[in-house]
Amino acid sequence: MEITTLASTWPAALTDPSGRRQLKPRTKGRTMVIDKGIGLHAFTDLLATSGEYIDIIKFGFGTSPLYPLPVLKNKIELAANQGITVIPGGTLLEAAVRLDMVPGFFRQVLALGFTGVEVSDGTINLSRGLRNDLIKDAKSLGLTVFTEYGKKLFGSRIDVDDFANTAEQDWSCGAELVTVEARESGKGVGLFDERGDCRDDDLSHIRSVIPNLSRVLWEAPLKEQQVSLIKTLGPDVHLGNIPVHDVITLESMRRGLRSDTFELQQVPFLEYMI
């Protein structure tokens, strides 16, 4: 077969064989990327190649104050221009709580152009009342609020009933999504054991307690974890702490464009001749 002209785009069935992926702004299958300090050129390259597949970018931990302010502001603006929600890591707000500097934190978040925040207690302990206040205050400032459940200490596991109760209260206060902690390592924390394998019994228990997981985001930095959650919960599962170099890889798995999730393709009946 001779091809003489270059098509303007790939056939739709090849672009998304699953036939399920939403365009932005997505309500299903959102991807949160963790930026641990890449430079402005690398960040620009990330958005040029993968921006369409990123819904949230988190500047990890407490890294935000360590950037030169013009660089940080530029990164935030570039991402926001692509319809990406940009948030500082929850650890920074935890530090602000511990140092009694929450108003200053929110002032700078707004001044820099962040469009969301993460409310967490992975390192400190937040009372339920203070957690409620932080969610409501951020929401009143026009910020999208993501909360996080779980401790960062290695060996920490999910108390399923406590998670369900916490999530319900977070949502009632205005949280967009509740994130299940797994750190950037994905090992020995939350849903994953010390090898990074999914604790299937815990996941099954969570599904029995919270049947609708459409407002839960799972930190899953490792490929095997992403595959497991996509196969168990479907390609519309919200996934977070995705490394910057794995965005397109994850998107290919959501669409059935990698062997790990090839079965997601919606293939019409064909009669093959062997």
Side-chain angles (χ1 to χ4, degrees):
M1 179 174 62
E2 183 179 353
I3 303 296
T4 58
T5 59
L6 179 66
S8 60
T9 186
W10 290 93
L14 281 178
T15 302
D16 181 14
S18 77
R20 297 180 59 168
R21 291 297 283 153
Q22 293 180 333
L23 298 177
K24 291 201 294 188
R26 275 180 285 271
T27 58
K28 300 177 181 179
R30 285 185 268 190
T31 294
M32 182 269 279
V33 170
I34 184 169
D35 176 352
K36 297 190 287 185
I38 62 174
L40 188 55
H41 293 299
F43 192 81
T44 302
D45 288 343
L46 169 68
L47 296 181
T49 57
S50 309
E52 180 57 34
Y53 315 121
I54 301 172
D55 302 282
I56 308 153
I57 290 180
K58 176 169 68 176
F59 294 116
F61 343 118
T63 56
S64 296
L66 305 183
Y67 287 95
L69 283 178
V71 173
L72 180 60
K73 192 172 179 63
N74 199 350
K75 292 177 77 170
I76 294 169
E77 183 177 355
L78 287 169
N81 286 342
Q82 290 208 24
I84 297 169
T85 303
V86 196
I87 65 175
T91 302
L92 186 59
L93 180 52
E94 292 183 42
V97 169
R98 184 172 182 270
L99 298 170
D100 195 21
M101 299 186 68
V102 171
F105 166 85
F106 279 125
R107 282 196 299 271
Q108 190 68 342
V109 161
L110 294 173
L112 286 166
F114 280 109
T115 52
V117 294
E118 182 178 67
V119 176
S120 65
D121 57 359
T123 305
I124 66 171
N125 292 317
L126 284 180
S127 69
R128 184 65 248 184
L130 180 53
R131 188 178 177 101
N132 291 350
D133 289 343
L134 290 171
I135 297 169
K136 292 176 181 178
D137 288 348
K139 186 78 173 175
S140 72
L141 294 171
L143 297 164
T144 302
V145 183
F146 304 91
T147 61
E148 188 172 70
Y149 178 87
K151 296 298 183 183
K152 296 183 181 296
L153 185 67
F154 186 86
S156 299
R157 296 189 60 167
I158 299 172
D159 181 322
V160 176
D161 294 328
D162 182 61
F163 169 57
N165 183 56
T166 299
E168 286 295 342
Q169 293 188 66
D170 287 356
W171 291 325
S172 69
C173 289
E176 177 80 5
L177 297 175
V178 176
T179 302
V180 178
E181 173 72 70
R183 307 205 69 179
E184 74 278 9
S185 68
K187 294 182 179 180
V189 176
L191 188 64
F192 306 115
D193 66 20
E194 65 278 1
R195 297 181 302 276
D197 296 331
C198 182
R199 292 187 171 107
D200 293 327
D201 290 346
D202 286 355
L203 181 56
S204 179
H205 189 185
I206 291 170
R207 295 180 74 184
S208 69
V209 174
I210 310 177
N212 183 3
L213 295 173
S214 63
R215 292 185 292 173
V216 174
L217 184 148
W218 309 86
E219 290 186 347
L222 304 179
K223 175 213 164 190
E224 293 77 12
Q225 298 167 352
Q226 297 157 20
V227 171
S228 178
L229 287 169
I230 288 171
K231 286 187 172 183
T232 304
L233 302 178
D236 291 333
V237 61
H238 304 304
L239 297 175
N241 273 14
I242 306 304
V244 294
H245 55 273
D246 287 345
V247 178
I248 288 184
T249 299
L250 170 57
E251 189 64 29
S252 71
M253 292 192 294
R254 289 189 186 276
R255 297 177 184 224
L257 286 169
R258 184 166 175 153
S259 61
D260 307 89
T261 57
F262 208 66
E263 67 271 18
L264 294 176
Q265 295 183 12
Q266 296 183 354
V267 182
F269 176 78
L270 296 174
E271 183 176 342
Y272 292 96
M273 295 183 64
I274 301 177

